[in-house]
Amino acid sequence: MGKKAKKEAETPCKEPFEPLPVEGKTPETVVLLLSSQEEDILVKACEAIYTFAEKGDDNKFSLLGLGALEPLCKLISNNNRLVRRNAFMALGIMATNGEVKSALKKKDVIPSILDKLSLEEDTVVHEFATLCLASLSVDFVCKVQIFDNKGLPPLIQLLSSPDPDVKNNSLEIIFNLVQDQKSRLAVHESGGIPPLLELLKSDFPAIQHLALKTLQNVTTDADTCNTFREEQGFEKLMEILSNTDFRDLHAGTLQVVANCLSDSESLQLIHKDGGLKRLMEFILTPNTPDIQSNAVKCITRVAHSSENRKLLHEQNVEKVLVELLSVADISVQTATCQAVSVMSFHLASKDSFRDLGGIPAVVQLLNNESLVLKEAAAQALSYLTHSNQLNMFAVYEAGGHEVLVQQLNGSCLRTLANSAATLGNMAAQEVIRCSILSLGAVKALVEPLNSTDTQLLVNTTRCLAVLTCDTEARAELQSAGGLHPLVNLLRSYHKEVLHNACWAISVCASDGPAAVEMCTFGALEMLQEINQSVNRRSRFSELAMISLLNSNLSAKYSLTSHLASTDHICDGFYDARAGQRILTLEEMSKQPVNEHRPIIVVNTAAEETVETEERQSKASETDTSSKAERRTPRKKKEEGKQKDEPLPEKPWKMMDDVSLQLLIKEAKESIIPLTDEREQCAALARLVSEAMGGAVEMERLHEYPWVLHLSELKFQLQANVVPIGLISKGIYGHRALLFKCLADCIGLSCTLVRGEYNRAWNEVLLFNRKERPAQPCRYTVDLMHQPGSLLAPNTLAAVQYQTI
């Protein structure tokens, strides 16, 4: 071939090719055609892909695998309107597939789609562009992209499109976007409220429902509610509620109404226009249960504002709610009870519910089989009876307390909590409290103390704190094993649970046996830790600590090293070692003999008296460890006679202290007849000194064999616990304890103070006769060196430390 011919062959032909009909029988071929430069082929290829994809998800996924997504994303921006339209159709229908949607999210296609939402664009483009965005807008990242690329304004414009599919798709995108606060505000600022309200009149139920759902979200914003009101939105909603043909829209409409009435300003304005009265009438109009229950929920939502409650009260909402309590539908009754609960925060409403007969109606609902309704009814009663004595008696007269006690044995935690709260309110009245106790409420409240539900614990401990004001209730709680879980709640870091637990403990501690038992469970140690904490301590924890110590003087003396003149030592008092966990007297008595100093115990009761008290205490099933009889040789003989028979384990009994009984008798006979209080103190001091080995010179105190004497007593008794009357060689601590014990027996006022190194002394308050008028003065009693001498405060303490 020559050079000329070769050159002609390389020159492209300028004449057009004859039209060639193309038939693509496989998806692969059609996808390849998407890369063509000819618009006619692109139009037909896009149309063919749309038709193929429309047949099912398998086809959409197949097209994704063949690489159709990439060229389609480019073709939606093609200059040819037909190419652009058909490309959007294909892309929109493919985007409804999950796999395609995931792949599409990775491509930066959203700006290109939003760019084609202008009103000048073809309606078909609008339809499939919005269909594509509706699929993508479910994803958070895509929602952000739509918002950041200013996609809301064109979407709001499309709400007025003549095409229902465009409206529906645009609504769906907006609904997905307004799940976020900034989009809700943008809808309002972009003028989205009027077109949304207009769509409520649509002939298509799907559009109406979607418009309502969108309004439910956007009307949670206060500014949006103002615009909604200005656009007569409330009136349009009331028109829907008044139209029986729109029953399916009533539930959603009521939700929007509730949002619009949540602020007091809107409620006032709507009230002036008669809207609130119309709403009340609508609620009472015979309707389907779901509509009525939603209407009542609307009232409940509105009533969360104190100003709104006042306005609702003026509209006699209580009368409406009481009437609804008789509607034979559980959902309506449940919603009504919840509304009663919220309205009960308004004091006048509580009285209105009672006067209208609402309380017996709520009590009746407690017998319903529905757990949800029981819970709501119990909650309503808890709010109705809070700080309202007349309502308490109204519930009592309706037999509500009986049903509430039965509810304590149920399985629903919320019902349990609400029942306990109501019973706690009612128990403030003595007559009601006695009736509640007779039904076994205390025993029923023990198991809830082991719960992990915070509200149940708050209400249960509060109820117990009120109920245990009665002695029998405290004994019942102790016998039912309720003290241990109650003490365990001191570990709680929930403020209200801890406060109520401390309150209940302080009440129960007024009984000595209960106080001792709580101490064995570690109550004192836990309260000490709480009161040392800046964040956990409170007046409740301090009160619990004081109450426990006042009822357990052994623990009080061990922890505080001080007994006031009002603290009277009784049988079973023992001088425990400070700085250790406080054990019971029985626990310490059963320990093997150790090398520590003995535990000094006080027991003034005679053996016969102890036996009588033991029998009485067994009959009442109360703790008798502090009043038990010591073992005697006679009992050992009886045991020998019956050694072949298995005998039950004998209960522990405290050793009798005959020597102390004789000292008490002598003190009463020789000291009480004395008329001068100073003489009484001096005489008692001498009596104590004589019983404990007499006066000891300070210089010879180190020679005083009191340590050996106590060791011998422990060895003879084979016990760590030694009765104080058996000590014949005692020093400061022993003498001060004996002085306090005898002084309390004869009515002589004095304190018991322990210093460091186990030194102790007594202080008495006497009038100084030298002063005119006579003034009371505190003195320390010398029991060791010059028995009977009265020294100035702290003088004896200083003397004691000099002897160390």
Side-chain angles (χ1 to χ4, degrees), residues 658-672:
V658 178
S659 300
L660 180 59
Q661 295 167 22
L662 294 174
L663 283 172
I664 293 172
K665 181 181 179 182
E666 184 177 352
K668 289 180 177 179
E669 292 175 352
S670 62
I671 296 174
I672 291 180

Side-chain angles (χ1 to χ4, degrees), residues 606-749:
E607 186 173 358
E608 293 79 12
T609 306
V610 174
E611 289 175 345
T612 303
E613 289 177 352
E614 183 185 355
R615 287 193 296 269
Q616 291 173 349
S617 61
K618 282 183 179 179
S620 60
E621 295 183 0
T622 57
D623 186 8
T624 61
S625 62
S626 62
K627 296 182 178 180
E629 178 191 18
R630 68 182 178 92
R631 296 181 177 86
T632 61
R634 175 176 54 84
K635 292 198 170 194
K636 292 182 180 178
K637 292 178 182 179
E638 292 175 357
E639 291 175 3
K641 294 177 182 178
Q642 301 175 1
K643 61 183 178 180
D644 295 331
E645 300 177 11
L647 294 174
E649 185 180 351
K650 295 290 184 180
W652 175 84
K653 296 178 182 180
M654 187 166 53
M655 186 181 298
D656 194 24
D657 194 345
V658 178
S659 300
L660 180 59
Q661 295 167 22
L662 294 174
L663 283 172
I664 293 172
K665 181 181 179 182
E666 184 177 352
K668 289 180 177 179
E669 292 175 352
S670 62
I671 296 174
I672 291 180
L674 300 175
T675 57
D676 185 76
E677 219 172 357
R678 286 174 177 268
E679 294 179 5
Q680 288 181 326
C681 287
L684 184 59
R686 289 190 291 270
L687 177 62
V688 168
S689 178
E690 291 170 5
M692 290 279 183
V696 180
E697 294 180 10
M698 190 180 303
E699 294 78 11
R700 302 179 67 88
L701 187 62
H702 63 281
E703 300 175 0
Y704 193 58
W706 65 277
V707 176
L708 177 61
H709 171 62
L710 291 178
S711 298
E712 290 173 346
L713 282 177
K714 286 179 63 177
F715 180 76
Q716 292 170 8
L717 299 173
Q718 283 299 295
N720 295 314
V721 178
V722 174
I724 193 170
L726 297 183
I727 300 175
S728 59
K729 290 182 177 65
I731 59 164
Y732 303 108
H734 312 121
R735 299 185 183 207
L737 176 56
L738 180 59
F739 185 90
K740 172 66 173 170
C741 174
L742 296 177
D744 289 343
C745 288
I746 64 174
L748 186 62
S749 178

